[in-house]
Amino acid sequence: MAKVYKFGGASVRDADGVRNLERIVRAADDDLMVVVSAMGKTTNALERVLDDLAAGREEKALSQWVDIIDYHVAIMKALGLQPGVDVRLQGEIPFDPTRPFDENYDQLISLGEIMSTQIIAVYLLKQGLSVEWWNMPKLLRTDDTWREAVVDDAASRSVIRAGWDRPQRPKIVVAQGFIGGTSDGRRTTLGREGSDYTAALLGNYIDAESVTIWKDVPGILNADPRLEPDTVLIPSLRYSDAVELSYSGAQIIHPKTIRPLENKHIPLLVKPFGDPSAPGSCISAEAVGPIDVPVYIWRKNQILITMRAKDFAFVLEESLSEIFDIIHRNRLKVSLIQSSAVTISVCVDNTRFVPDAIEALNEHFKVTYNDHLSLLTIRGTTPEILERAKAGRTILLCQTTRRTARLVVKEEHNQ
Ligand code: ASP
Ligand code: MG
C-alpha cells in the first residue's frame, strides 16, 4: 500500500531535520509520496525579497536572496552534498517588473519548495534509498489565480496517477507541497501553509492508505501550548471536528486538507517528527471516543465589519446575497456572522483584500469596522469556562450555542 508523508518547514529547517526525515522514511515499508515544504522560514524570507524588489530596493533584495542561498548551501554541506554539483540552485531571482505582483510572487516564492525537495531527494538518493524527484508545477495543474490557485483535479489526477502507477517507479517520490503550475508552464502557489492541502490531494489521487503530517507537536492538542498552560492530546477526531477546528483558526492543519481525504475515507495522522513511534492524533470518519476536554482555538488578525443599509432597508431580507457576493469576489474569509434587523456584521481575516472589499461595500451600505481583533472559539464550553475566558478581556461580540462559544476579542499585547 501507499502512504503520503508530509514534512513542514520546521521539520526540515536544518541538516538534523533532514536526517530525521531520512530515518522516518527509511522505517516505512510502504511506497511513499513524501511532500515537503520550504526549509525553515524560507517562504517568509522569499516574501521579503519580493517586497524589496517590488519597492525598488534592489540591493537589499539581493543581499537577502544571497542569505537564502547561503542557508541552503550550508544545509547541503552539512549533509555531505556538493553545492553546484549535486544540486544546482537557482542563480537569478525570477522577477519581471512588467508582470503583476501576484504573478511574480508565485514565480519567486515557489522556489523555497523547489530547493528543499531537490536537496532532500538527492540526499536520500545518496543514502541509498530508491527515490524520484517530482516537479509539481508540471504535475499539479492549476488555473492562474496567483497566490491562491485553484487545482484542476481531473487533469492533475491523470498525470499524477500515470507517474505513480508506472511499473519501474522508485519506492519513494519526493514532491513539493504548496505549488503547482498552469497549462502554459508558469508556477503557481495554493495559499500560505498549503502543503497539507497538497498532501491531501495526492493522497486522494493515489488512493493512499493514510496521510501523515509530521509536526513539531505531539499531535492535535486542545489548545495552543504557547497560550494555555495545560494542554492535552486529542487522540482521535472526526473529519468534521477537524474542519471545524481548522476553520476556527487552529493552526494544526490547513482548512482545505480534509475534503480530499474525507471523499475517500483516507485517515489523516498528525505525528511528532521528533518521536515517530508516538501515536499522535488520527482524524477519520469515526472517532474512537468523544472529545472530552474543552478545545480553545484562536484565530488572529480579524476585522469585524458592520454594514447598515443606507435607507433603513432590512439588510437581512434584501441585501444578503449582494453582501456575500462582494465578500466572495474580494476573497474575504468569513469567520463569523451576526445580524440584526438593519445591520449585518461579519468577522473576516484582515488580509490585503479587505480595503477593496470595504470600498465596494461602502457603495451600498454604511460600513463601520473594528480591527486588531482575535476570534476565540471554545468547543465543549461550560458557563464557568466561558466566564474565565471573558475575564480581563475586551469582548466585542459573543455567540454561544449549547457546547460552543465564540468570542470576538480585542487583541491584547500578551497574546
Ligand atoms: N512553505 C509554504 C508556507 O510556509 C507552504 C507550507 O509550509 O505549507 O506557507
Ligand atoms: Mg512553511
Side-chain angles (χ1 to χ4, degrees), residues 127-176:
Q127 298 308 303
L129 293 168
S130 162
V131 180
E132 180 167 83
W133 178 79
W134 277 16
N135 185 24
M136 294 309 268
K138 294 240 163 4
L139 303 172
L140 192 73
R141 176 66 50 80
T142 73
D143 71 0
D144 61 359
T145 313
W146 309 114
R147 302 179 70 173
E148 226 163 315
V150 178
V151 175
D152 177 343
D153 261 322
S156 306
R157 182 191 309 275
S158 79
V159 183
I160 282 164
R161 278 235 66 133
W164 184 257
D165 292 338
R166 265 157 50 229
Q168 301 302 325
R169 168 184 50 76
K171 184 164 168 277
I172 299 171
V173 167
V174 175
Q176 307 86 40

